[in-house]
Coordinates of all heavy atoms in Angstrom, one line a residue:
M1 N -2.6 -129.6 -81.0 CA -2.4 -129.7 -79.6 C -1.3 -128.8 -79.1 O -0.7 -129.4 -78.1 CB -2.1 -131.2 -79.4 CG -3.1 -132.1 -80.1 SD -4.7 -132.0 -79.4 CE -5.6 -133.1 -80.4
P2 N -1.0 -127.7 -79.5 CA 0.1 -126.8 -79.0 C -0.2 -126.5 -77.5 O 0.7 -126.2 -76.7 CB 0.2 -125.7 -79.8 CG -0.7 -125.9 -81.1 CD -1.5 -127.0 -80.7
H3 N -1.5 -126.4 -77.1 CA -1.8 -125.9 -75.8 C -1.4 -127.0 -74.8 O -1.1 -126.6 -73.7 CB -3.3 -125.6 -75.6 CG -4.3 -126.7 -75.9 ND1 -4.5 -127.2 -77.2 CD2 -4.9 -127.6 -75.0 CE1 -5.5 -128.2 -77.0 NE2 -5.5 -128.5 -75.8
R4 N -1.4 -128.2 -75.1 CA -0.9 -129.3 -74.3 C 0.6 -129.2 -74.1 O 1.2 -129.5 -72.9 CB -1.2 -130.7 -74.8 CG -2.8 -131.0 -74.7 CD -3.0 -132.4 -75.1 NE -4.4 -132.6 -75.0 CZ -5.0 -133.6 -75.6 NH1 -4.3 -134.5 -76.2 NH2 -6.3 -133.8 -75.4
Q5 N 1.4 -128.8 -75.1 CA 2.7 -128.6 -75.0 C 3.1 -127.5 -74.1 O 4.0 -127.5 -73.3 CB 3.3 -128.5 -76.4 CG 3.2 -129.6 -77.3 CD 3.7 -129.3 -78.7 OE1 3.8 -128.1 -79.1 NE2 3.9 -130.3 -79.4
V6 N 2.3 -126.4 -74.2 CA 2.6 -125.2 -73.4 C 2.2 -125.5 -72.0 O 2.9 -125.2 -71.0 CB 1.9 -124.0 -73.9 CG1 1.9 -122.8 -72.9 CG2 2.3 -123.6 -75.3
G7 N 1.1 -126.3 -71.8 CA 0.7 -126.6 -70.5 C 1.7 -127.5 -69.7 O 1.9 -127.4 -68.6
S8 N 2.3 -128.4 -70.4 CA 3.4 -129.2 -69.9 C 4.6 -128.4 -69.5 O 5.3 -128.7 -68.5 CB 3.7 -130.4 -70.7 OG 4.4 -130.0 -71.9
L9 N 4.8 -127.5 -70.3 CA 6.1 -126.7 -69.9 C 5.8 -125.8 -68.6 O 6.7 -125.7 -67.8 CB 6.4 -125.6 -71.1 CG 7.1 -126.3 -72.2 CD1 7.3 -125.2 -73.4 CD2 8.5 -126.7 -71.9
V10 N 4.7 -125.4 -68.6 CA 4.3 -124.5 -67.4 C 4.1 -125.3 -66.2 O 4.2 -124.8 -65.1 CB 3.1 -123.5 -67.7 CG1 2.7 -122.7 -66.6 CG2 3.4 -122.7 -68.9
S11 N 3.8 -126.5 -66.3 CA 3.6 -127.4 -65.1 C 4.9 -127.7 -64.4 O 4.8 -128.2 -63.3 CB 2.8 -128.7 -65.5 OG 3.6 -129.4 -66.3
D12 N 6.0 -127.7 -65.2 CA 7.3 -127.9 -64.5 C 7.7 -126.8 -63.6 O 7.7 -125.7 -63.9 CB 8.3 -128.1 -65.7 CG 9.8 -128.4 -65.1 OD1 9.9 -129.2 -64.1 OD2 10.7 -128.0 -65.7
P13 N 7.9 -127.1 -62.4 CA 8.3 -126.1 -61.3 C 9.4 -125.2 -61.8 O 9.4 -124.0 -61.6 CB 8.7 -126.8 -60.1 CG 8.1 -128.2 -60.2 CD 8.1 -128.5 -61.7
R14 N 10.5 -125.8 -62.4 CA 11.6 -124.8 -62.8 C 11.2 -124.0 -63.8 O 11.5 -122.8 -63.9 CB 12.8 -125.7 -63.3 CG 13.4 -126.5 -62.2 CD 14.5 -127.3 -62.6 NE 14.0 -128.4 -63.5 CZ 14.7 -129.4 -64.1 NH1 15.9 -129.3 -64.1 NH2 13.9 -130.3 -64.8
S15 N 10.4 -124.4 -64.9 CA 9.9 -123.4 -65.9 C 9.0 -122.5 -65.3 O 9.0 -121.3 -65.7 CB 9.2 -124.3 -67.0 OG 10.0 -125.3 -67.6
R16 N 8.1 -122.8 -64.4 CA 7.2 -121.9 -63.8 C 8.0 -120.8 -63.0 O 7.6 -119.6 -63.2 CB 6.3 -122.6 -62.8 CG 5.0 -121.9 -62.5 CD 4.0 -122.6 -61.7 NE 4.1 -124.1 -62.0 CZ 3.8 -125.0 -61.1 NH1 3.3 -124.6 -59.9 NH2 3.9 -126.3 -61.4
T17 N 8.9 -121.1 -62.3 CA 9.8 -120.3 -61.7 C 10.6 -119.2 -62.6 O 10.5 -118.1 -62.3 CB 10.9 -121.0 -60.8 OG1 10.2 -121.8 -59.8 CG2 11.8 -119.9 -60.0
W18 N 11.1 -119.9 -63.7 CA 11.7 -119.0 -64.6 C 10.8 -118.0 -65.2 O 11.1 -116.8 -65.5 CB 12.4 -120.0 -65.8 CG 13.2 -119.1 -66.7 CD1 14.4 -118.7 -66.7 CD2 12.7 -118.5 -67.9 NE1 14.8 -118.0 -67.8 CE2 13.7 -117.8 -68.5 CE3 11.4 -118.5 -68.5 CZ2 13.5 -117.1 -69.8 CZ3 11.2 -117.9 -69.8 CH2 12.4 -117.1 -70.3
L19 N 9.6 -118.5 -65.6 CA 8.5 -117.6 -66.3 C 8.1 -116.6 -65.3 O 8.0 -115.4 -65.7 CB 7.4 -118.5 -66.6 CG 6.3 -117.8 -67.4 CD1 6.8 -117.3 -68.7 CD2 5.1 -118.7 -67.7
T20 N 8.0 -116.8 -64.0 CA 7.6 -115.9 -63.0 C 8.6 -114.8 -62.9 O 8.4 -113.6 -62.8 CB 7.4 -116.5 -61.6 OG1 6.4 -117.6 -61.8 CG2 7.1 -115.5 -60.5
V21 N 10.0 -115.2 -62.8 CA 11.1 -114.2 -62.7 C 11.1 -113.4 -64.0 O 11.2 -112.1 -63.9 CB 12.4 -114.9 -62.4 CG1 13.5 -113.9 -62.6 CG2 12.4 -115.6 -61.1
F22 N 11.0 -114.0 -65.2 CA 11.0 -113.3 -66.4 C 9.9 -112.2 -66.6 O 10.2 -111.1 -66.9 CB 11.0 -114.3 -67.6 CG 10.9 -113.6 -68.9 CD1 12.1 -113.1 -69.4 CD2 9.8 -113.5 -69.6 CE1 12.1 -112.5 -70.8 CE2 9.8 -112.8 -70.8 CZ 10.8 -112.4 -71.4
V23 N 8.7 -112.6 -66.3 CA 7.6 -111.6 -66.3 C 7.7 -110.6 -65.3 O 7.4 -109.4 -65.6 CB 6.3 -112.5 -66.2 CG1 5.1 -111.5 -66.0 CG2 6.0 -113.4 -67.4
S24 N 8.2 -110.9 -64.1 CA 8.3 -109.9 -63.1 C 9.4 -108.9 -63.4 O 9.2 -107.7 -63.3 CB 8.6 -110.4 -61.7 OG 9.9 -111.1 -61.7
V25 N 10.5 -109.3 -63.9 CA 11.5 -108.4 -64.4 C 11.0 -107.5 -65.5 O 11.3 -106.2 -65.6 CB 12.8 -109.2 -64.7 CG1 13.8 -108.2 -65.5 CG2 13.4 -109.7 -63.5
L26 N 10.3 -108.1 -66.5 CA 9.8 -107.3 -67.6 C 8.8 -106.2 -67.1 O 8.9 -105.1 -67.6 CB 9.0 -108.4 -68.6 CG 8.6 -107.8 -69.8 CD1 9.7 -107.4 -70.7 CD2 7.7 -108.8 -70.5
V27 N 7.9 -106.7 -66.2 CA 6.9 -105.7 -65.8 C 7.6 -104.6 -64.9 O 7.2 -103.4 -65.0 CB 5.9 -106.5 -64.9 CG1 5.0 -105.4 -64.1 CG2 5.0 -107.3 -65.8
Q28 N 8.7 -104.9 -64.2 CA 9.3 -103.9 -63.4 C 10.2 -102.9 -64.2 O 10.3 -101.8 -63.9 CB 10.2 -104.5 -62.3 CG 9.4 -105.3 -61.3 CD 10.4 -105.9 -60.3 OE1 11.6 -105.9 -60.3 NE2 9.6 -106.7 -59.3
A29 N 10.7 -103.4 -65.3 CA 11.5 -102.6 -66.2 C 10.8 -101.8 -67.2 O 11.2 -100.7 -67.6 CB 12.5 -103.5 -67.0
M30 N 9.5 -102.1 -67.4 CA 8.7 -101.4 -68.4 C 8.6 -99.9 -68.1 O 8.7 -99.1 -69.0 CB 7.3 -102.0 -68.6 CG 6.6 -101.6 -69.9 SD 7.5 -101.9 -71.4 CE 7.7 -103.7 -71.3
P31 N 8.2 -99.5 -66.9 CA 8.2 -98.1 -66.7 C 9.4 -97.3 -67.0 O 9.3 -96.1 -67.6 CB 7.7 -97.9 -65.3 CG 7.1 -99.2 -65.0 CD 7.8 -100.1 -65.8
F32 N 10.6 -97.8 -66.6 CA 11.9 -97.2 -66.8 C 12.1 -97.1 -68.5 O 12.6 -96.0 -68.9 CB 13.0 -97.9 -66.2 CG 12.7 -97.9 -64.7 CD1 12.3 -99.0 -64.0 CD2 13.0 -96.7 -64.0 CE1 12.1 -98.9 -62.6 CE2 12.9 -96.6 -62.6 CZ 12.4 -97.7 -61.9
L33 N 11.8 -98.1 -69.1 CA 12.0 -98.1 -70.5 C 11.0 -97.0 -71.2 O 11.5 -96.2 -72.0 CB 11.7 -99.5 -71.1 CG 12.8 -100.5 -70.8 CD1 12.3 -101.8 -71.4 CD2 14.2 -100.1 -71.5
V34 N 9.8 -97.0 -70.8 CA 8.9 -96.0 -71.3 C 9.3 -94.6 -71.0 O 9.4 -93.8 -71.9 CB 7.3 -96.4 -70.9 CG1 6.5 -95.2 -71.3 CG2 7.0 -97.6 -71.4
F35 N 9.7 -94.4 -69.7 CA 10.0 -93.0 -69.4 C 11.4 -92.6 -69.9 O 11.7 -91.4 -69.8 CB 9.8 -92.9 -67.9 CG 8.5 -92.8 -67.3 CD1 8.1 -93.7 -66.3 CD2 7.6 -92.1 -68.0 CE1 6.8 -93.7 -65.8 CE2 6.2 -92.1 -67.5 CZ 5.9 -93.0 -66.4
G36 N 12.1 -93.6 -70.3 CA 13.4 -93.1 -71.0 C 13.3 -93.0 -72.5 O 13.9 -92.1 -73.1
V37 N 12.6 -93.8 -73.1 CA 12.5 -93.9 -74.7 C 11.5 -92.7 -75.1 O 11.8 -92.2 -76.1 CB 12.0 -95.3 -75.1 CG1 11.6 -95.3 -76.6 CG2 13.1 -96.3 -74.8
V38 N 10.4 -92.6 -74.4 CA 9.5 -91.5 -75.0 C 10.1 -90.2 -74.9 O 10.0 -89.5 -76.0 CB 8.2 -91.6 -74.1 CG1 7.3 -90.4 -74.4 CG2 7.4 -92.9 -74.5
P39 N 10.7 -89.7 -73.8 CA 11.4 -88.3 -73.9 C 12.5 -88.4 -74.9 O 12.7 -87.3 -75.6 CB 11.9 -88.2 -72.5 CG 11.1 -89.1 -71.6 CD 10.8 -90.2 -72.5
S40 N 13.2 -89.4 -75.1 CA 14.3 -89.4 -76.1 C 13.8 -89.4 -77.5 O 14.3 -88.6 -78.4 CB 15.1 -90.7 -75.9 OG 15.8 -90.9 -74.8
A41 N 12.6 -90.1 -77.7 CA 12.0 -89.8 -79.1 C 11.4 -88.5 -79.3 O 11.6 -87.9 -80.4 CB 10.9 -90.9 -79.2
V42 N 10.9 -87.9 -78.3 CA 10.4 -86.5 -78.6 C 11.6 -85.6 -78.8 O 11.4 -84.7 -79.6 CB 9.6 -86.0 -77.2 CG1 9.2 -84.6 -77.2 CG2 8.3 -86.9 -77.0
I43 N 12.7 -85.7 -78.1 CA 13.8 -84.9 -78.2 C 14.5 -85.0 -79.7 O 14.7 -84.1 -80.4 CB 14.9 -85.0 -77.3 CG1 14.4 -84.6 -75.8 CG2 16.2 -84.5 -77.6 CD1 15.4 -84.9 -74.7
A44 N 14.5 -86.4 -80.1 CA 15.0 -86.7 -81.5 C 14.1 -86.0 -82.5 O 14.6 -85.6 -83.6 CB 15.1 -88.2 -81.6
V45 N 12.9 -86.1 -82.3 CA 11.9 -85.6 -83.4 C 11.8 -84.0 -83.3 O 11.8 -83.4 -84.4 CB 10.5 -86.2 -83.1 CG1 9.4 -85.5 -84.1 CG2 10.5 -87.6 -83.5
F46 N 11.8 -83.3 -82.2 CA 11.4 -82.0 -82.1 C 12.7 -81.0 -81.9 O 12.5 -79.9 -82.2 CB 10.4 -81.7 -81.1 CG 9.0 -82.4 -81.4 CD1 8.6 -83.3 -80.7 CD2 8.4 -81.8 -82.4 CE1 7.3 -84.0 -81.0 CE2 7.1 -82.3 -82.7 CZ 6.6 -83.3 -82.0
V47 N 13.8 -81.5 -81.6 CA 15.0 -80.7 -81.3 C 16.0 -80.9 -82.5 O 16.3 -82.0 -82.8 CB 15.7 -81.2 -80.1 CG1 16.9 -80.2 -79.9 CG2 14.8 -81.0 -78.9
P48 N 16.1 -79.9 -83.2 CA 17.0 -80.0 -84.5 C 18.5 -80.4 -84.1 O 18.9 -80.0 -83.1 CB 17.0 -78.6 -85.1 CG 16.4 -77.6 -84.1 CD 15.7 -78.5 -83.0
R49 N 19.1 -81.0 -85.1 CA 20.5 -81.4 -84.9 C 21.5 -80.2 -84.7 O 22.4 -80.2 -84.0 CB 21.0 -82.3 -86.1 CG 20.3 -83.6 -86.2 CD 20.9 -84.3 -87.2 NE 20.4 -85.7 -87.4 CZ 20.8 -86.8 -86.9 NH1 21.9 -86.7 -86.2 NH2 20.3 -87.9 -87.0
S50 N 21.1 -79.1 -85.3 CA 21.9 -77.9 -85.2 C 21.9 -77.4 -83.7 O 23.1 -76.9 -83.3 CB 21.4 -76.8 -86.1 OG 20.0 -76.5 -85.7
F51 N 20.9 -77.6 -83.0 CA 20.9 -77.3 -81.5 C 22.0 -78.1 -80.9 O 22.8 -77.4 -80.1 CB 19.6 -77.5 -80.9 CG 19.6 -77.4 -79.4 CD1 19.7 -76.2 -78.8 CD2 19.6 -78.5 -78.7 CE1 19.7 -76.0 -77.4 CE2 19.7 -78.3 -77.3 CZ 19.7 -77.2 -76.6
W52 N 22.1 -79.3 -81.1 CA 23.0 -80.2 -80.4 C 24.4 -79.8 -80.8 O 25.4 -79.9 -80.0 CB 22.8 -81.7 -80.6 CG 21.4 -82.1 -80.1 CD1 20.3 -82.5 -80.8 CD2 20.9 -82.1 -78.7 NE1 19.3 -82.8 -80.0 CE2 19.7 -82.6 -78.8 CE3 21.6 -81.7 -77.6 CZ2 19.0 -82.6 -77.6 CZ3 20.8 -81.9 -76.4 CH2 19.5 -82.3 -76.4
A53 N 24.6 -79.5 -82.1 CA 26.0 -79.0 -82.5 C 26.5 -77.8 -81.7 O 27.7 -77.7 -81.5 CB 25.9 -78.8 -84.0
R54 N 25.5 -76.9 -81.5 CA 25.8 -75.7 -80.7 C 26.0 -75.9 -79.3 O 26.7 -75.3 -78.4 CB 24.8 -74.6 -80.9 CG 24.8 -74.0 -82.4 CD 23.9 -72.8 -82.5 NE 22.6 -73.0 -81.8 CZ 21.5 -73.4 -82.5 NH1 21.5 -73.7 -83.8 NH2 20.4 -73.5 -81.7
A55 N 25.1 -76.9 -78.7 CA 25.0 -77.0 -77.1 C 26.1 -77.9 -76.6 O 26.6 -77.7 -75.5 CB 23.6 -77.6 -76.9
L56 N 26.6 -78.9 -77.5 CA 27.7 -79.9 -77.0 C 29.0 -79.3 -77.2 O 29.3 -78.6 -78.2 CB 27.4 -81.1 -77.6 CG 26.2 -82.0 -77.3 CD1 26.2 -83.2 -78.1 CD2 26.2 -82.3 -75.8
P57 N 29.9 -79.5 -76.2 CA 31.2 -79.1 -76.4 C 31.8 -79.7 -77.7 O 31.6 -80.8 -78.0 CB 32.0 -79.6 -75.3 CG 31.0 -80.0 -74.2 CD 29.7 -80.3 -75.0
R58 N 32.6 -78.9 -78.4 CA 33.3 -79.4 -79.6 C 34.5 -80.4 -79.3 O 34.7 -81.3 -80.1 CB 33.8 -78.3 -80.6 CG 32.6 -77.4 -81.0 CD 33.1 -76.7 -82.2 NE 32.0 -75.6 -82.5 CZ 31.0 -76.0 -83.3 NH1 30.7 -77.3 -83.6 NH2 30.0 -75.1 -83.6
H59 N 35.2 -80.2 -78.2 CA 36.3 -80.9 -77.9 C 35.9 -82.3 -77.4 O 35.1 -82.4 -76.4 CB 37.2 -80.2 -76.9 CG 38.5 -80.8 -76.8 ND1 38.9 -81.9 -76.1 CD2 39.8 -80.4 -77.3 CE1 40.1 -82.1 -76.0 NE2 40.7 -81.2 -76.8
P60 N 36.3 -83.5 -78.0 CA 36.0 -84.9 -77.6 C 36.0 -85.1 -76.0 O 35.3 -85.9 -75.4 CB 36.8 -85.7 -78.5 CG 37.2 -84.9 -79.6 CD 37.3 -83.6 -79.1
T61 N 37.2 -84.6 -75.4 CA 37.5 -84.8 -74.1 C 36.3 -84.3 -73.3 O 36.0 -84.8 -72.1 CB 38.8 -84.2 -73.6 OG1 39.8 -84.7 -74.5 CG2 39.2 -84.6 -72.2
L62 N 35.8 -83.1 -73.6 CA 34.6 -82.6 -72.9 C 33.3 -83.2 -73.3 O 32.4 -83.2 -72.4 CB 34.6 -81.1 -73.0 CG 35.8 -80.4 -72.5 CD1 35.7 -78.8 -72.8 CD2 35.9 -80.5 -71.0
A63 N 33.1 -83.6 -74.5 CA 31.9 -84.0 -75.1 C 31.5 -85.4 -74.5 O 30.3 -85.6 -74.3 CB 31.9 -84.2 -76.6
V64 N 32.5 -86.2 -74.3 CA 32.2 -87.6 -73.8 C 31.5 -87.6 -72.3 O 30.5 -88.2 -72.1 CB 33.4 -88.5 -73.7 CG1 33.2 -89.8 -73.1 CG2 33.8 -88.8 -75.3
P65 N 32.0 -86.8 -71.4 CA 31.3 -86.7 -70.1 C 30.0 -86.1 -70.2 O 29.1 -86.5 -69.4 CB 32.3 -85.8 -69.2 CG 33.6 -85.8 -69.9 CD 33.4 -86.1 -71.3
V66 N 29.8 -85.1 -71.1 CA 28.5 -84.5 -71.2 C 27.5 -85.4 -71.8 O 26.4 -85.6 -71.3 CB 28.6 -83.2 -72.1 CG1 27.2 -82.7 -72.4 CG2 29.4 -82.2 -71.4
A67 N 27.9 -86.3 -72.8 CA 27.1 -87.2 -73.4 C 26.7 -88.4 -72.4 O 25.7 -88.9 -72.3 CB 27.7 -87.9 -74.7
G68 N 27.7 -88.7 -71.5 CA 27.4 -89.6 -70.5 C 26.5 -89.2 -69.5 O 25.7 -90.0 -69.0
A69 N 26.5 -87.9 -69.1 CA 25.6 -87.4 -68.2 C 24.2 -87.4 -68.8 O 23.2 -87.7 -68.2 CB 25.9 -85.9 -67.8
A70 N 24.1 -87.2 -70.1 CA 22.8 -87.3 -70.8 C 22.2 -88.6 -70.9 O 21.1 -88.8 -70.7 CB 22.9 -86.7 -72.2
G71 N 23.2 -89.7 -70.9 CA 22.8 -91.0 -70.9 C 22.3 -91.5 -69.6 O 21.4 -92.3 -69.6
V72 N 22.8 -90.8 -68.5 CA 22.2 -91.2 -67.2 C 20.8 -90.6 -67.0 O 20.0 -91.3 -66.5 CB 23.2 -90.6 -66.1 CG1 22.6 -90.6 -64.7 CG2 24.5 -91.3 -66.1
V73 N 20.6 -89.4 -67.5 CA 19.2 -88.9 -67.5 C 18.2 -89.6 -68.3 O 17.2 -89.7 -67.9 CB 19.3 -87.3 -67.9 CG1 18.0 -86.7 -67.9 CG2 20.3 -86.5 -66.9
L74 N 18.7 -90.0 -69.5 CA 17.7 -90.6 -70.4 C 18.3 -92.0 -70.9 O 18.8 -92.1 -71.9 CB 17.5 -89.8 -71.7 CG 16.8 -88.4 -71.4 CD1 16.8 -87.6 -72.6 CD2 15.3 -88.6 -71.0
P75 N 18.1 -92.9 -69.9 CA 18.8 -94.2 -70.2 C 18.3 -95.0 -71.4 O 18.9 -95.8 -72.0 CB 18.7 -94.9 -69.0 CG 17.4 -94.5 -68.4 CD 17.4 -93.0 -68.7
G76 N 17.0 -94.7 -71.8 CA 16.4 -95.5 -72.9 C 16.9 -95.0 -74.3 O 16.7 -95.7 -75.3
G77 N 17.4 -93.9 -74.5 CA 17.7 -93.2 -75.6 C 19.0 -93.8 -76.2 O 19.4 -94.0 -77.3

């Protein structure tokens, strides 16, 4: 009888409101996650680590802002 338990949870107005908000946030966030994670995965698979060693600044004071800018461009990675 689990379907009765789920039905009673969804019949409560507070639970229904929470479920509606949860699902709507999940649906709205999904495209951003996909468009962030997929390019990050492609970069991780196809771009060798040696490229990043050459492309990023060696000094930590400069490397942190560069890495932060990369995080803004690809937030899912």
Side-chain angles (χ1 to χ4, degrees):
M1 308 298 174
H3 64 282
R4 287 187 182 161
Q5 293 172 345
V6 172
S8 66
L9 281 175
V10 178
S11 65
D12 180 33
R14 290 179 292 175
S15 296
R16 202 171 334 151
T17 301
W18 184 88
L19 186 62
T20 301
V21 171
F22 176 78
V23 170
S24 64
V25 168
L26 185 69
V27 168
Q28 290 176 6
M30 196 58 59
F32 296 101
L33 288 173
V34 169
F35 290 129
V37 171
V38 170
S40 295
V42 169
I43 289 170
V45 169
F46 293 111
V47 178
R49 290 185 182 261
S50 60
F51 169 79
W52 298 113
R54 289 188 317 266
L56 293 175
R58 296 201 189 277
H59 197 276
T61 306
L62 297 174
V64 170
V66 171
V72 168
V73 175
L74 297 171

